[in-house]
Amino acid sequence: MLDSKLLRTQLQDVADRLATRGYQLDVARIEALEAQRKTVQTRTEQLQAERNARSKSIGQAKQRGEDIAPLLADVDRMASELDAGKQELEGIQAELDQLMLTLPNLPHESVPVGKDEDENVEVRRWGTPKSFDFPVQDHVALGEQHGWLDFETAAKLSGARFALMRGPIARLHRALAQFMIDLHTREHGYEEAYTPYLVQAPALQGTGQLPKFEEDLFKITREGEADFYLIPTAEVSLTNIVAGEILDAKHLPLKFVAHTPCFRSEAGASGRDTRGMIRQHQFDKVEMVQIVEPDQSFEALESLTANAEKVLQLLELPYRVLALCTGDMGFGATKTYDLEVWVPSQDKYREISSCSNCGDFQARRMQARYRNPETGKPELVHTLNGSGLAVGRTLVAVLENYQQADGSVRVPEVLKPYMAGIEVIG
């Protein structure tokens, strides 16, 4: 959530910056609501002062033996007007608050301005895509040849956009997740967490999925109790660990990592990546979250991105890093790097991780703060998140980049300790 003071003092600047994201701010509506709010607030404050003075005069009139019935009637009238004014003020503020929840974050000045993904800026590349001397198969063909990657049975169980993994491929999928968790906890300083997969609406509002993106979520309605939502990413549960807290600065930064399934309805992805495991309703991800002091968040973003890159480097998978332009960034991000891994069957790089600095955007929604040691006052923390990595997409990349002419797949060197001696699948 943006700072409401910005809308009161720098409304046009906010509108201009949001326009670079393709978001058209209704300036006229906000100005009208603010003007209405100020008018009602001024009238209410004046009426309260007048009522206080009139109440005081009642006691004085009573001491003088005067008839106080007219004064009492006047005070009652003012009380009714005050209640009406307060209700009107609450209604205006509620509309402003609801509008604030729908506004995306402001892009940082270092973010390239652009309309869509075509205007993202490549920052660097690592590794060289392998040349194959045989026809390349995609991960679906490689996985289905022994029945170890089964989309037909998954569809029988759950419908489209699900996968059933069996045997060595199921083990390879698990090995990838364990390898990532071990790397981030042992070498990158993250604390492992096991979080709930079901959360309530306030958690999703805190990280920005609600109210704007409810159609992308799987919702479980419960009669007489709060609704549950399946997490779209562990970012939700990990980041909300600090919701409503005032943290001691000496405990920052906090670095959490979790391996969880993720659930997304893919409401806006009709017809996209319908073959294979690139875009699923259920997929696994190892998610990294950092909670830091405000002046350290952009340095932390570089570190977080490097942590995700290290996974691909150790797996020896070619990738590139993109700085997302203003028009392609996620709702809550002020700056984002995407990692794209090489997918041979598609002859292009595909997203495998998105690493974002959200600044104080999520913290304001969650009221997540730390006590500034210099001022002694609570201030908003900054939050960051990134995939380290999406396990299913990493499996896709491993299957395709490590395939051999006979359709078998070599196990990457770094994963062999997790595969109980299996060196080749197929």
Side-chain angles (χ1 to χ4, degrees), residues 209-395:
Q209 284 81 14
L210 288 179
K212 189 173 178 62
F213 302 105
E214 183 158 10
E215 67 172 4
D216 292 324
L217 302 170
F218 285 109
K219 181 178 181 178
I220 301 172
T221 301
R222 300 189 297 163
E223 187 175 349
E225 296 186 72
D227 295 336
F228 276 145
Y229 294 83
L230 287 162
I231 57 170
T233 163
E235 170 200 344
V236 177
S237 41
L238 290 175
T239 309
N240 274 280
I241 289 173
V242 298
E245 301 290 331
I246 299 178
L247 306 169
D248 191 323
K250 69 182 180 184
H251 295 148
L252 298 178
L254 292 174
K255 299 169 69 174
F256 300 119
V257 65
H259 166 218
T260 69
C262 305
F263 305 90
R264 299 184 186 177
S265 73
E266 296 291 354
S270 178
R272 294 175 59 191
D273 295 310
T274 55
R275 178 175 169 83
M277 296 181 64
I278 294 294
R279 197 175 298 276
Q280 300 257 286
H281 287 312
Q282 175 187 315
F283 59 95
D284 279 36
K285 190 145 69 87
V286 171
E287 183 76 2
M288 303 176 293
V289 162
Q290 293 195 27
I291 314 295
V292 305
E293 294 183 51
D295 62 356
Q296 297 176 7
S297 64
F298 285 97
E299 180 181 347
L301 177 60
E302 302 299 324
S303 172
L304 183 86
T305 306
N307 296 157
E309 288 183 70
K310 189 65 174 179
V311 178
L312 292 171
Q313 291 169 8
L314 290 174
L315 289 169
E316 300 182 71
L317 294 172
Y319 68 90
R320 65 176 183 170
V321 180
L322 302 177
L324 298 196
C325 70
T326 52
D328 196 36
M329 283 198 307
F331 178 77
T334 187
K335 184 172 184 176
T336 297
Y337 292 117
D338 267 10
L339 274 59
E340 295 185 343
V341 70
W342 182 254
V343 178
S345 68
Q346 299 183 17
D347 196 33
K348 64 181 179 180
Y349 293 96
R350 294 300 305 267
E351 180 193 338
I352 197 167
S353 173
S354 192
C355 299
S356 297
N357 180 5
C358 296
D360 61 11
F361 186 83
Q362 293 178 328
R364 183 171 287 105
R365 298 168 80 102
M366 297 186 303
Q367 279 303 289
R369 296 171 290 172
Y370 80 108
R371 194 170 299 281
N372 187 317
E374 295 182 3
T375 66
K377 296 180 179 179
E379 296 181 14
L380 295 171
V381 295
H382 280 195
T383 63
L384 302 96
N385 62 79
S387 305
L389 303 164
V391 183
R393 292 193 179 196
T394 309
L395 177 64

Side-chain angles (χ1 to χ4, degrees), residues 31-341:
E31 288 178 334
L33 285 170
E34 274 297 326
Q36 187 181 359
R37 183 187 64 80
K38 289 178 182 177
T39 299
V40 175
Q41 186 170 339
T42 300
R43 186 175 73 241
T44 302
E45 289 172 352
Q46 290 173 344
L47 191 60
Q48 182 67 59
E50 188 177 346
R51 182 172 180 259
N52 291 343
R54 196 63 53 90
S55 296
K56 186 177 181 180
S57 68
I58 289 174
Q60 296 170 343
K62 194 173 184 180
Q63 287 178 347
R64 294 194 297 269
E66 297 175 0
D67 181 10
I68 61 172
L71 293 174
L72 289 172
D74 212 19
V75 168
D76 288 344
R77 175 188 59 79
M78 290 180 184
S80 296
E81 291 182 10
L82 265 176
D83 286 342
K86 288 177 181 177
Q87 289 180 16
E88 185 179 1
L89 198 59
E90 287 173 2
I92 296 167
Q93 191 60 54
E95 186 171 349
L96 281 168
D97 291 345
Q98 195 61 29
L99 188 150
M100 291 293 292
L101 287 173
T102 67
L103 301 184
N105 204 353
L106 297 178
H108 188 258
E109 59 187 12
S110 63
V111 174
V113 176
K115 297 187 296 295
D116 53 37
E117 62 183 15
D118 294 332
E119 297 187 68
N120 293 336
V121 176
E122 186 173 310
V123 177
R124 57 184 171 272
R125 293 191 180 197
W126 187 93
T128 302
K130 179 183 176 181
S131 296
F132 293 88
D133 56 5
F134 55 85
V136 170
Q137 299 187 70
D138 69 3
H139 68 282
V140 177
L142 292 165
E144 286 183 336
Q145 61 183 334
H146 298 291
W148 293 332
L149 188 54
D150 186 349
F151 295 98
E152 185 176 337
T153 302
K156 179 179 70 175
L157 297 171
S158 307
R161 294 190 187 274
F162 289 92
L164 172 65
M165 289 176 275
R166 299 169 60 181
I169 283 184
R171 183 166 198 145
L172 183 59
H173 183 266
R174 176 163 56 89
L176 282 165
Q178 189 62 59
F179 157 64
M180 294 173 194
I181 287 288
D182 287 349
L183 175 65
H184 295 317
T185 55
R186 294 173 182 175
E187 297 188 23
H188 297 155
Y190 290 82
E191 177 187 350
E192 184 176 0
Y194 175 82
T195 75
Y197 303 160
L198 295 168
V199 295
Q200 296 180 5
L204 290 152
Q205 180 174 296
T207 44
Q209 284 81 14
L210 288 179
K212 189 173 178 62
F213 302 105
E214 183 158 10
E215 67 172 4
D216 292 324
L217 302 170
F218 285 109
K219 181 178 181 178
I220 301 172
T221 301
R222 300 189 297 163
E223 187 175 349
E225 296 186 72
D227 295 336
F228 276 145
Y229 294 83
L230 287 162
I231 57 170
T233 163
E235 170 200 344
V236 177
S237 41
L238 290 175
T239 309
N240 274 280
I241 289 173
V242 298
E245 301 290 331
I246 299 178
L247 306 169
D248 191 323
K250 69 182 180 184
H251 295 148
L252 298 178
L254 292 174
K255 299 169 69 174
F256 300 119
V257 65
H259 166 218
T260 69
C262 305
F263 305 90
R264 299 184 186 177
S265 73
E266 296 291 354
S270 178
R272 294 175 59 191
D273 295 310
T274 55
R275 178 175 169 83
M277 296 181 64
I278 294 294
R279 197 175 298 276
Q280 300 257 286
H281 287 312
Q282 175 187 315
F283 59 95
D284 279 36
K285 190 145 69 87
V286 171
E287 183 76 2
M288 303 176 293
V289 162
Q290 293 195 27
I291 314 295
V292 305
E293 294 183 51
D295 62 356
Q296 297 176 7
S297 64
F298 285 97
E299 180 181 347
L301 177 60
E302 302 299 324
S303 172
L304 183 86
T305 306
N307 296 157
E309 288 183 70
K310 189 65 174 179
V311 178
L312 292 171
Q313 291 169 8
L314 290 174
L315 289 169
E316 300 182 71
L317 294 172
Y319 68 90
R320 65 176 183 170
V321 180
L322 302 177
L324 298 196
C325 70
T326 52
D328 196 36
M329 283 198 307
F331 178 77
T334 187
K335 184 172 184 176
T336 297
Y337 292 117
D338 267 10
L339 274 59
E340 295 185 343
V341 70

